[in-house]
């Protein structure tokens, strides 16, 4: 395969394109300009289209495996994008992914890496990854020890990260990996000051101290880097950690990858009044479950908000794809409720007591779009109490009017009930009030096994999601 054939194969990939990835390593120098161009455009504010996203994801791993250092400046510039985009591009495990990519792409300019790691505006997990990777680069003799020590000192003295920032994990990991036993008291003072709250257990602290002393006693032993997965990428197939969904077609529900892309597209425009995907999902669920059908030509401007009359995104292709995905998502929600099948709300689970508030607000905006048509449900007190009050309770300003704020447990129960609530609303319009109270419950919350998929729809195991705090 030549570079053009490899590029096309990566852009159109389904799953993990093993032959193309292996060929890309061999043709890294020829492929690099195309990958670098996408990285530079994204660093400048352009959001890659799905085909460009696949090229960038797969391409960076192949260039790192090939030690194609020409991509390093563009990679570092890319890392300055907001946290949501970094999570979208590199996943929840981005600390390891970013660190391993840097180890393969590093071009010797450790000052440039230190500058990104020192920037408080950069995603905290990216900063953590860079600090850990710098420790390995220093150990290998590819980066300046003095420059890294100066950065670690500045981090502490100038408090270059908030106490709860994940960047402090990288700071203390770099100290441990380099065996800096004379820095132990500085780390302890940081613990006492509330830094690294995820490192509160005595057992974790003792382990860190033991590993720091072991690194000092055995400075040439690489095992400590292996334990922390701080190893360069050699095989892009094994390391990429992402499998591309097949693109959906006309009339089909959007894939998880497409919805993740849509989430980033919409989030970039929230300052103009555009709904984020969570709010849009609640809004479209209300329309799908509601008494009358609403066409995309009417509901899309509601989602776009103040930007409805302006070009929304980076290119007309972005606009068309975002509109198409939202319309097909709405159609998929309608079809699921008709089958009947419980919908899976798109909810951000990392916002604490505001969890699901945007989804609930979007749902109520959907009700408001056809307020007169919803009156038969709203006027029936016990129906409204059953299907609308649980949603209103998730909205802080609405809950405030009614008195006490939801407890964590009550909020979790309300969120888990949202699929059943949507089904109940749809059922009301089909069969009336008696269908809700004279027949079996539309759905019940069941006991979930710790290793089962979380019923909230996050895609994680229950023990790693809702069950972690239960």
């Amino acid at each position: 395969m030549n570079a053009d054939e490899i590029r096309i194969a990566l852009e159109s990939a389904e799953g993990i394109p093993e032959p193309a990835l292996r060929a890309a390593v061999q043709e890294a120098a020829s492929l690099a300009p195309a990958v670098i161009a996408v990285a530079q455009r994204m660093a400048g504010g352009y959001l890659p289209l799905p085909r460009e996203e696949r090229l960038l994801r797969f391409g960076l791993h192949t260039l790192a495996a090939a030690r194609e250092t020409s991509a390093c400046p563009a990679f570092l510039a890319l890392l300055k994008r907001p946290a949501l985009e970094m999570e979208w591009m590199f996943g929840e495990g981005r600390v390891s992914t970013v660190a391993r990519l840097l180890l393969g792409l590093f071009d010797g300019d450790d000052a440039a890496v230190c500058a990104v790691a020192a920037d408080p505006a950069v995603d905290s997990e990216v900063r953590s990854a860079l600090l850990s990777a710098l420790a390995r680069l220093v150990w290998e003799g590819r980066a300046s020890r003095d420059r890294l020590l100066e950065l670690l000192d500045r981090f502490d003295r100038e408090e270059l990260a908030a106490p709860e920032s994940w960047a402090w994990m990288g700071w203390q990991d770099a100290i441990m990996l380099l065996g800096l036993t004379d820095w132990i008291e500085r780390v302890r003072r940081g613990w006492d000051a509330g830094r690294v709250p995820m490192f509160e257990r005595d057992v974790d602290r003792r382990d860190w101290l033991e590993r720091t002393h072991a690194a000092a006693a055995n400075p040439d032993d690489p095992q400590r880097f292996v334990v922390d997965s701080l190893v360069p990428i050699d095989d892009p197939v094994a390391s990429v950690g992402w499998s591309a969904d097949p693109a959906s077609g006309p009339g089909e529900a959007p894939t998880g990858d497409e919805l993740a892309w849509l989430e980033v597209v919409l989030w970039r425009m929230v300052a103009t009044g555009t709904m984020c995907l969570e709010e849009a999902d609640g809004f479209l669920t209300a329309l799908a479950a509601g008494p009358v059908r609403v066409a995309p030509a009417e509901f899309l401007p509601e989602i776009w908000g103040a930007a409805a009359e302006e070009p929304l995104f980076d290119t007309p292709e972005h606009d068309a794809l975002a509109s198409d995905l939202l319309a097909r998502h709405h159609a998929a929600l309608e079809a699921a409720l008709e089958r009947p099948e419980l919908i899976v709300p798109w909810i951000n689970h990392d916002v604490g007591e505001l969890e699901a508030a945007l989804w609930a607000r979007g749902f109520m905006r959907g009700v408001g779009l056809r307020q007169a048509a919803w009156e038969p449900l709203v006027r029936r007190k016990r129906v409204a109490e059953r299907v609308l009050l649980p949603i209103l309770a998730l909205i802080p300003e609405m809950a405030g009017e009614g008195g006490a704020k939801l407890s964590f447990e009550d909020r979790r129960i309300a969120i888990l009930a949202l699929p059943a609530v949507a089904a109940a609303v749809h059922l009301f319009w089909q069969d009336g009030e008696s269908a809700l109270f004279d027949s079996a419950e539309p759905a019940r919350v069941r006991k979930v096994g710790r290793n089962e998929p979380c019923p909230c729809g996050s895609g994680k195991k229950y023990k790693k999601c809702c069950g972690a705090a239960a």
Side-chain angles (χ1 to χ4, degrees):
M1 300 173 72
N2 61 36
D4 284 340
E5 292 170 334
I6 294 168
R7 176 183 57 77
I8 293 170
L10 296 181
E11 288 178 342
S12 58
E14 297 181 3
I16 299 177
E18 183 171 345
L21 286 172
R22 300 208 185 283
V25 175
Q26 302 303 315
E27 295 289 336
S30 299
L31 180 67
V35 178
I36 291 170
V38 178
Q40 289 173 332
R41 292 182 75 191
M42 184 173 174
Y46 170 89
L47 184 70
L49 290 160
R51 64 176 183 277
E52 297 168 317
E53 172 198 351
R54 289 190 287 271
L55 174 62
L56 186 57
R57 287 177 183 266
F58 292 131
L60 286 174
H61 281 78
T62 58
L63 298 186
R67 309 297 187 262
E68 182 52 59
T69 60
S70 64
C72 193
F75 174 65
L76 291 177
L78 175 65
L79 297 181
K80 298 178 183 179
R81 296 301 303 167
L84 177 67
E85 296 182 23
M86 291 296 91
E87 182 174 349
W88 171 65
M89 181 55 55
F90 300 114
E92 291 184 347
R94 59 190 176 279
V95 172
S96 175
T97 299
V98 169
R100 297 189 68 198
L101 285 171
L102 179 63
L103 293 176
L105 298 173
F106 183 62
D107 61 359
D109 189 357
D110 54 355
V113 181
C114 287
V116 179
D119 187 349
V122 172
D123 171 44
S124 64
E125 295 192 34
V126 166
R127 299 175 76 195
S128 180
L130 296 181
L131 290 169
S132 298
L134 280 166
R136 166 132 196 173
L137 292 170
V138 166
W139 177 77
E140 292 177 355
R142 293 200 285 156
S144 165
R145 181 183 180 90
D146 288 343
R147 182 170 282 119
L148 177 55
L149 291 181
E150 179 185 0
L151 174 59
L152 296 176
D153 178 58
R154 281 188 59 212
F155 239 86
D156 184 30
R157 287 186 298 102
E158 300 177 20
E159 296 184 342
L160 294 183
E164 70 278 4
S165 172
W166 199 265
W168 290 112
M169 284 292 290
W171 178 77
Q172 70 178 34
D173 280 352
I175 291 169
M176 177 269 292
L177 292 166
L178 294 176
L180 303 179
T181 54
D182 54 333
W183 286 59
I184 287 175
E185 287 309 310
R186 297 179 74 163
V187 174
R188 281 187 166 135
R189 287 197 298 271
W191 290 341
D192 293 340
R195 289 178 187 168
V196 202
M198 66 292 292
F199 218 76
E200 291 179 339
R201 298 187 309 168
D202 288 341
V203 63
D204 294 325
R205 296 180 179 187
R206 285 196 302 270
D207 178 69
W208 182 88
L209 290 168
E210 291 171 3
R211 294 189 65 193
T212 302
H213 285 293
N218 303 282
D220 296 328
D221 185 358
Q223 186 59 29
R224 60 187 181 276
F225 299 103
V226 176
V227 169
D228 286 356
S229 298
L230 281 170
V231 293
I233 292 170
D234 293 318
D235 180 3
V237 175
S239 68
V240 68
W242 181 74
S243 177
D245 289 339
S248 61
E252 296 179 340
T255 67
D257 286 349
E258 289 167 336
L259 289 176
W261 179 86
L262 183 61
E263 179 178 37
V264 180
V265 167
L266 295 178
W267 187 255
R268 284 180 161 210
M269 297 297 294
V270 293
T272 68
T274 298
M275 295 184 196
C276 66
L277 182 57
E278 178 177 330
E279 186 173 3
D281 184 66
F283 176 74
L284 294 176
T285 299
L287 301 186
V292 293
R293 302 198 70 175
V294 181
E298 182 177 356
F299 68 66
L300 286 174
E302 294 291 326
I303 294 174
W304 302 149
E309 303 303 323
E310 301 290 337
L312 292 176
F313 308 118
D314 298 343
T315 67
E317 189 173 356
H318 286 77
D319 292 358
L321 180 56
S323 297
D324 180 58
L325 291 175
L326 284 167
R328 289 196 281 119
H329 183 52
H330 173 249
L333 290 169
E334 286 185 322
L337 291 169
E338 285 289 340
R339 276 192 287 270
E341 179 179 301
L342 293 182
I343 55 97
V344 179
W346 185 279
I347 290 172
N348 179 2
H349 297 285
D350 298 321
V351 292
E353 64 182 21
L354 295 179
E355 186 178 359
L358 287 170
W359 192 95
R361 186 175 289 120
F363 190 96
M364 296 313 299
R365 287 183 65 175
V367 173
L369 190 64
R370 285 290 187 273
Q371 186 171 351
W374 280 77
E375 279 299 317
L377 183 151
V378 174
R379 285 199 305 266
R380 288 170 169 80
K381 182 178 179 181
R382 65 174 187 159
V383 175
E385 287 178 346
R386 179 172 179 180
V387 299
L388 293 184
L389 286 186
I391 295 174
L392 288 170
L394 293 168
I395 306 174
E397 58 267 31
M398 297 294 185
E401 293 175 6
K405 183 174 63 175
L406 279 184
S407 68
F408 174 86
E409 182 179 355
D410 287 342
R411 177 168 289 272
R412 179 65 55 203
I413 291 171
I415 291 170
L416 291 175
L418 290 177
V421 167
V425 169
H426 180 73
L427 186 62
F428 173 82
W429 301 116
Q430 307 304 308
D431 299 320
E433 181 176 343
S434 62
L436 303 188
F437 295 97
D438 298 340
S439 61
E441 295 282 340
R444 293 182 181 273
V445 177
R446 64 179 180 85
K447 184 175 176 63
V448 182
R450 286 178 56 75
N451 289 303
E452 292 184 54
C454 190
C456 72
S458 67
K460 303 176 187 177
K461 289 183 178 180
Y462 177 68
K463 66 181 179 182
K464 295 290 187 180
C465 189
C466 299

